[in-house]
Amino acid sequence: MKKLVVLLVIVSMFLGACGDGLEYETWKDTKAAFGNGNYQILHGYRNDEEINTLYNCKHKQEVVTNVDNYEEKENYIFFVGKFREQKVFCKLNLETNLLYYYAEENGEEYFDIEFDSVIEDKQIELLSSFDDFSEEDRLEFERLTNN
């Protein structure tokens, strides 16, 4: 009985130390997880080049194929990068896990097809103009782009 109690204490300590409070599990390639863990930056390689991608875990969907830079500011994470060849700017609300997403030279039908399930589930809101971000947000994106 004493051994069982000691074993239970050890197991509960281990589980408590490993619990990160995220709804979505991190992987060995996870560089960072945000909010409830639905959005994660995954580290990997593509064409022998080291990359970081922004991934929506719920829908198993890459939303930024190459993250150039990101930073947390208050309850938001700002990302600049690319989706394939298009420059993208994203702002993730950490409380709601909603990603505001703008792609330069965007063809909305292209992104609607690519992100259909993520949009329907209100995980991403596509913006039609860079000006849809506040002036403060645009300055943050400019700073991230220039660093």
Side-chain angles (χ1 to χ4, degrees), residues 72-77 92-96:
E72 183 171 352
K73 189 174 181 184
E74 297 170 11
N75 289 326
Y76 297 95
I77 306 289
L92 176 63
N93 183 320
L94 294 174
E95 292 176 8
T96 64

Side-chain angles (χ1 to χ4, degrees), residues 38-67:
N38 183 26
Y39 283 99
Q40 297 183 18
I41 291 185
L42 304 180
H43 178 77
Y45 294 88
R46 184 174 292 132
N47 300 328
D48 294 326
E49 184 179 324
E50 201 171 342
I51 61 165
N52 292 311
T53 64
L54 183 61
Y55 192 76
N56 179 291
C57 295
K58 182 176 183 179
H59 293 279
K60 299 175 177 64
Q61 172 73 48
E62 244 181 358
V63 294
V64 179
T65 56
N66 195 0
V67 176

